[in-house]
């Protein structure tokens, strides 16, 4: 059955290549970070090349325009919208000046529970990779787990703890991080690897090129939470953002973003109940007139210059 599904998905994807299709680009950071564990960073130099190519193509559109065209079954061929997840400070400091230079609109999905502070996965990375000595064992209490640090690479230790923390409740995850900081003597993460503050968010939102979207309160895996907590994570983030920027927030992005693993039909129902107009996933793919407006796929963009960027988009969209 799995093989049949994979074959069917491949045939469906091939069938979209000759139809009107749009690309929603997924970025996270524009920065140079030596501890970029998940390859979230695109260097400012490469981002400039990518936006230059996108500008020259004449295909860049604001996400609200792309969604409106989708609803009207009137997608313009190969239109491309730029999006960022999480709300890192470098989106304001590094990405916005380049977007402004080329007049390219973007939607930024912001996590609201740690504004001005590091994200939990970055804190964990800096805890584990700091030069301080790690104890022979690290204990995680929920669920009870002992991570053996002796003769293990720090990368292996990080991966083991990260997999546990990703599916915990926010309170449990926060408590474990505080324990880890205490036993390792951790001080602080670099300031560059943090979320924007409310004041910085206001500055970002003042740009006419920027649309602000919600990305939950704590960047938890929504599928691991009950229906009530999912709705709370989703609604609270939108309400917090609206209060900060003084405008309504009607677009949402699922944390981690893979269907069935990170969000489910129950999650989609919660997004609808919270009053959002549409939602974006991290499932890899193009947007067609048949795409679910509450699970729009995206094209992940990696740290490469103009030639690789253009080849990637030509592969997905047929042209740039």
């Amino acid at each position: 059955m799995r093989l049949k599904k994979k074959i069917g998905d491949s045939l469906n994807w091939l069938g979209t290549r000759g139809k009107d299709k749009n690309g929603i680009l997924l970025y996270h950071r524009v920065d140079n970070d030596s501890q970029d564990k998940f390859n979230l960073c695109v260097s400012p130099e490469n981002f400039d090349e990518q936006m230059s190519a996108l500008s020259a193509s004449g295909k860049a559109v604001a996400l609200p325009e792309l969604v409106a065209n989708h609803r009207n079954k009137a997608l313009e061929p190969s239109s491309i919208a730029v999006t960022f997840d999480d709300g890192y400070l470098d989106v304001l400091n590094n990405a916005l000046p380049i977007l402004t230079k080329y007049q390219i609109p973007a939607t930024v999905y912001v996590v609201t529970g740690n504004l001005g502070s590091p994200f939990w996965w970055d804190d964990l990375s800096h805890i584990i990779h700091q030069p301080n000595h790690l104890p022979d064992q690290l204990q995680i209490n929920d669920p009870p787990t002992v991570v053996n640090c002796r003769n293990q690479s720090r990368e292996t230790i990080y991966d083991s703890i990260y997999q546990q923390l990703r599916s915990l409740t926010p309170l449990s995850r926060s408590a474990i991080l505080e324990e880890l900081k205490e036993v390792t003597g951790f001080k602080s993460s670099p300031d560059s690897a943090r979320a924007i503050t409310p004041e910085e968010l206001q500055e970002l939102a003042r740009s006419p090129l920027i649309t602000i979207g919600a990305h939950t309160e704590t960047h938890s895996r929504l599928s691991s939470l009950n229906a009530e907590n999912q709705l709370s994570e989703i609604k609270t983030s939108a309400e917090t953002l609206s209060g900060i920027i003084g405008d309504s927030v009607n677009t949402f992005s699922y944390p981690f973003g893979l269907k069935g693993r990170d969000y489910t039909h129950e999650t989609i129902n919660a997004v609808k109940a919270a009053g959002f107009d549409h939602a974006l996933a991290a499932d890899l793919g193009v947007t067609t007139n048949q795409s679910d407006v509450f699970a729009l796929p995206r094209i992940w963009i990696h740290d490469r210059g103009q030639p690789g960027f253009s080849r990637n988009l030509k592969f997905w969209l047929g042209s740039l």
Side-chain angles (χ1 to χ4, degrees), residues 3-242:
L3 179 59
K4 287 183 178 178
K5 184 179 186 303
K6 287 182 178 179
I7 293 172
D9 290 345
S10 298
L11 291 174
N12 287 338
W13 176 78
L14 286 171
T16 66
R17 298 203 78 204
K19 299 178 181 178
D20 288 347
K21 50 194 178 299
N22 287 187
I24 303 175
L25 308 188
L26 172 54
Y27 290 91
H28 291 83
R29 304 186 61 191
V30 175
D31 199 13
N32 296 298
D33 190 335
S34 61
Q35 289 195 22
D36 183 21
K37 161 69 180 173
F38 299 107
N39 297 316
L40 300 181
C41 290
V42 173
S43 72
E45 296 77 17
N46 281 341
F47 186 68
D48 189 288
E49 286 191 22
Q50 293 174 5
M51 293 303 99
S52 175
L54 184 54
S55 175
S57 76
K59 299 292 187 179
V61 298
L63 181 65
E65 179 183 343
L66 187 153
V67 173
N69 289 340
H70 171 276
R71 277 211 164 87
N72 294 326
K73 305 295 183 184
L75 289 176
E76 293 290 331
S78 301
S79 291
I80 298 170
V82 173
T83 69
F84 290 85
D85 276 6
D86 300 334
Y88 277 92
L89 171 62
D90 51 66
V91 175
L92 172 66
N93 288 345
N94 299 337
L96 182 59
I98 296 171
L99 293 169
T100 303
K101 174 182 177 180
Y102 295 107
Q103 286 298 289
I104 292 177
T107 299
V108 182
Y109 293 95
V110 180
V111 178
T112 55
N114 63 303
L115 293 174
S117 299
F119 294 95
W120 65 262
W121 56 88
D122 288 325
D123 250 357
L124 177 63
S125 179
H126 290 106
I127 289 169
I128 299 301
H129 291 97
Q130 65 180 328
N132 292 8
H133 175 73
L134 294 177
D136 289 343
Q137 292 182 335
L138 291 172
Q139 184 170 330
I140 295 176
N141 296 323
D142 182 17
T145 307
V146 174
V147 179
N148 181 24
C149 300
R150 182 180 291 179
N151 300 323
Q152 298 280 353
S153 71
R154 300 212 177 196
E155 206 65 24
T156 299
I157 296 167
Y158 177 90
D159 289 342
S160 179
I161 299 175
Y162 172 82
Q163 293 302 329
Q164 294 281 350
L165 296 191
R166 185 166 60 174
S167 295
L168 294 184
T169 64
L171 284 177
S172 295
R173 184 167 55 238
S174 180
I176 290 168
L177 284 171
E178 289 306 312
E179 271 189 62
L180 292 176
K181 289 177 183 180
E182 185 174 343
V183 299
T184 61
F186 176 76
K187 300 303 181 183
S188 63
S189 291
D191 185 65
S192 60
R194 67 163 173 84
I196 54 179
T197 65
E199 294 74 22
E200 290 163 345
L201 175 58
Q202 289 172 342
E203 181 182 350
L204 180 66
R206 280 195 290 270
S207 169
L209 295 170
I210 299 297
T211 300
I212 300 298
H215 198 42
T216 73
E217 188 176 18
T218 64
H219 205 290
S220 295
R221 175 182 275 174
L222 290 170
S223 61
S224 68
L225 307 179
N226 62 35
E228 181 181 359
N229 287 336
Q230 288 192 56
L231 183 59
S232 175
E233 280 272 342
I234 293 164
K235 285 190 68 174
T236 301
S237 64
E239 291 166 356
T240 300
L241 290 170
S242 293

